[in-house]
Amino acid sequence: MNINKNYENLEQSYLFSTIAHKVNDFVAKNPDKKVIRLGIGDVTLPLCKAVTDALHKAVDEMGVQSTFRGYGPEQGYDFLREKVQKYYQNRNVELDLDEIFISDGAKSDLGNILDLFDKDNTVLVPDPVYPVYVDTNIMAGRKVIFANANEENNFLPTVDKDINADIIYICSPNNPTGAVYNKAQLVEWIRYALERKAAILFDAAYECFVSDENLPRSIYEIEGAKECAIEFCSLSKTAGFTGTRCGYTIVPRSLGKLNKMWLRRQTTKFNGVPYIVQRGAEAVFSEEGQKEIKENINYYKDNAKIISDTLNRCNIWHVGGKHSPYIWLKCPNNMNSWEFFDYLLNNAQIVGTPGAGFGRNGEGYFRLTSFGSRENTIEAMQRFEKLFN
Ligand code: MLT
């Protein structure tokens, strides 16, 4: 047999695995030190009550003959797809149920969707951005080019008509920078994609953090998007489902064959999200669930403010935190991203994510997450301030 040689073109390990290894090493050597993890964007607040009540009820149903369920529909139960449909309707986006696909999270679908595209496509990825977009395309041997995001364009690359891209990734609010495209900027990307007959893969995993009603939370709020864009969303950050696993992907029928192809792909390679989890996800969209998750999101936003206020006092340039759970800062004293990672870990036992892990333009920057507990966020920022103020 021949192995897939494209894997040789990947970084040695996935960004967050590399960080986890480094932190585990540190902890093994310094068992007495309390490490505060503000690296990977993993939530710390528990699932809300509306969700756990629904989960318990679903577990009980599974233990009773008359309500037990086996295989479910690969694309998700209608009870959940209808809730997602309603959620979009609240933002004036009309979707048919067969355009909504329930998944085990955005990360898997962002990788799996590439099954639908020929290897011979050029992929445009913002730099810096979530590393999964690049890695999954490298694995498939696809050509990846980059759209530069930097301080000059507020980390929001604009359309360059001279660039020939067939698949375009957009992550808004952006991971790692927290930058959000406004409607006019998305209009430009949609126009470009329609002209080129390109596909936009829109990652909306952080939409619930957008606090300005005028900023789009779904690309389908913009006319023409249903003719060129697939949208990915997840309950991981919205409702604390990082360990529970549930998300949804929208493949509009107006994308032609792609909708049927995705159904074909999912029915062949995926057996659906567990019934119990889908019942928990359904509860996220209930009145009670929405109220409870908003409280959690506000808690994380208050953490972001604590981080941002600290950085202001230390005179450290940063953005983000307002429409996203991430704070994107410039490494102090001209340190590069990994130097700063080591420095913070060794001197303050704070774990963050080196900007260089998100792309070349991330070098010299660093990402902190607001998903920690309040207590840990405050303690981390006190330690930080001791070093830099
Ligand atoms: C991150 O820290 O960038 C995210 O948690 C990664 C993910 O969502 O897979």
Side-chain angles (χ1 to χ4, degrees):
M1 59 87 186
N2 296 313
I3 58 160
N4 180 351
K5 291 227 169 47
N6 296 317
Y7 276 64
E8 288 165 14
N9 301 325
L10 292 166
E11 295 287 328
Q12 217 177 0
S13 81
Y14 180 56
L15 172 64
F16 295 105
S17 313
T18 309
I19 293 173
H21 281 305
K22 275 182 167 265
V23 175
N24 291 344
D25 267 3
F26 180 88
V27 171
K29 287 184 194 131
N30 302 276
D32 52 319
K33 299 233 162 97
K34 178 185 167 192
V35 171
I36 300 181
R37 289 174 168 81
L38 304 180
I40 191 165
D42 196 4
V43 293
T44 50
L45 289 174
L47 295 172
C48 66
K49 186 167 179 313
V51 170
T52 52
D53 283 352
L55 291 171
H56 282 298
K57 186 162 169 275
V59 168
D60 288 342
E61 281 176 40
M62 291 296 271
V64 173
Q65 181 71 67
S66 59
T67 47
F68 167 78
R69 308 220 187 191
Y71 290 125
E74 293 87 347
Q75 64 276 30
Y77 285 100
D78 279 358
F79 64 75
L80 178 54
R81 296 160 93 201
E82 280 160 12
K83 294 296 181 312
V84 174
Q85 183 182 45
K86 180 95 204 344
Y87 188 67
Y88 275 91
Q89 252 164 21
N90 293 341
R91 300 199 65 79
N92 299 318
V93 174
E94 293 297 333
L95 297 173
D96 286 336
L97 278 196
D98 61 5
E99 298 178 307
I100 300 167
F101 295 81
I102 305 303
S103 72
D104 66 345
K107 180 182 182 176
S108 344
D109 273 12
L110 279 158
N112 294 336
I113 200 80
L114 296 175
D115 274 9
L116 310 193
F117 300 104
D118 195 274
K119 179 177 163 287
D120 192 17
N121 277 301
T122 299
V123 178
L124 181 65
V125 178
D127 173 5
V129 88
Y130 186 37
V132 167
Y133 313 155
V134 175
D135 287 0
T136 50
N137 278 292
I138 290 180
M139 287 170 181
R142 227 170 257 115
K143 181 177 170 198
V144 180
I145 55 175
F146 295 95
N148 284 319
N150 46 42
E151 278 178 56
E152 285 77 63
N153 59 23
N154 296 317
F155 289 98
L156 292 169
T158 48
V159 171
D160 177 349
K161 292 220 161 94
D162 294 333
I163 287 181
N164 295 328
D166 307 304
I167 299 172
I168 302 146
Y169 284 84
I170 298 179
C171 179
S172 179
N174 177 276
N175 175 13
T177 67
V180 193
Y181 278 113
N182 64 30
K183 289 190 178 162
Q185 291 164 323
L186 285 185
V187 166
E188 290 303 312
W189 279 111
I190 290 167
R191 197 173 288 157
Y192 170 82
L194 290 174
E195 271 167 21
R196 289 197 47 78
K197 297 196 183 346
I200 293 178
L201 303 183
F202 190 83
D203 184 352
Y206 298 94
E207 57 87 19
C208 65
F209 284 86
V210 173
S211 4
D212 180 344
E213 269 305 303
N214 295 316
L215 289 171
R217 290 167 63 163
S218 159
I219 193 161
Y220 303 123
E221 291 175 44
I222 320 294
E223 216 184 301
K226 279 194 190 166
E227 277 72 53
C228 62
I230 297 176
E231 181 161 295
F232 303 83
C233 203
S234 153
L235 297 182
S236 285
K237 322 291 160 142
T238 306
F241 271 55
T242 50
T244 309
R245 308 306 313 150
C246 195
Y248 45 92
T249 293
I250 312 298
V251 188
R253 273 209 307 264
S254 40
L255 287 177
K257 285 187 179 153
L258 290 178
N259 173 278
K260 284 273 170 298
M261 285 169 70
W262 183 241
L263 180 66
R264 186 72 177 83
R265 192 262 171 219
Q266 291 298 80
T267 47
T268 305
K269 293 197 183 179
F270 184 54
N271 257 336
V273 175
Y275 170 73
I276 295 165
V277 171
Q278 291 194 55
R279 280 294 184 199
E282 180 191 21
V284 170
F285 297 97
S286 67
E287 203 178 310
E288 206 47 38
Q290 286 291 301
K291 197 171 135 261
E292 289 170 351
I293 62 161
K294 272 190 192 111
E295 280 165 22
N296 291 356
I297 291 164
N298 286 336
Y299 174 95
Y300 294 133
K301 283 191 169 173
D302 290 345
N303 280 351
K305 182 158 183 340
I306 291 168
I307 298 173
S308 177
D309 288 348
T310 307
L311 295 174
N312 280 336
R313 286 195 298 276
C314 299
N315 272 324
I316 292 177
W317 181 97
H318 64 283
V319 287
K322 196 155 172 241
H323 305 295
S324 110
Y326 300 126
I327 285 88
W328 181 245
L329 58 113
K330 209 175 232 172
C331 301
N333 309 327
N334 287 324
M335 276 185 258
N336 76 34
S337 299
W338 282 104
E339 274 169 0
F340 187 56
F341 174 90
D342 289 331
Y343 182 85
L344 263 193
L345 182 59
N346 290 320
N347 294 288
Q349 290 76 59
I350 300 169
V351 182
T353 310
F358 298 99
R360 205 179 287 175
N361 288 334
E363 183 53 277
Y365 294 88
F366 200 75
R367 192 192 79 175
L368 290 173
T369 146
S370 66
F371 282 131
S373 69
R374 176 64 42 81
E375 189 195 356
N376 277 349
T377 304
I378 291 173
E379 188 178 340
M381 289 303 102
Q382 282 165 348
R383 295 183 195 172
F384 192 99
E385 201 157 353
K386 265 196 201 144
L387 288 179
F388 295 107
N389 194 4

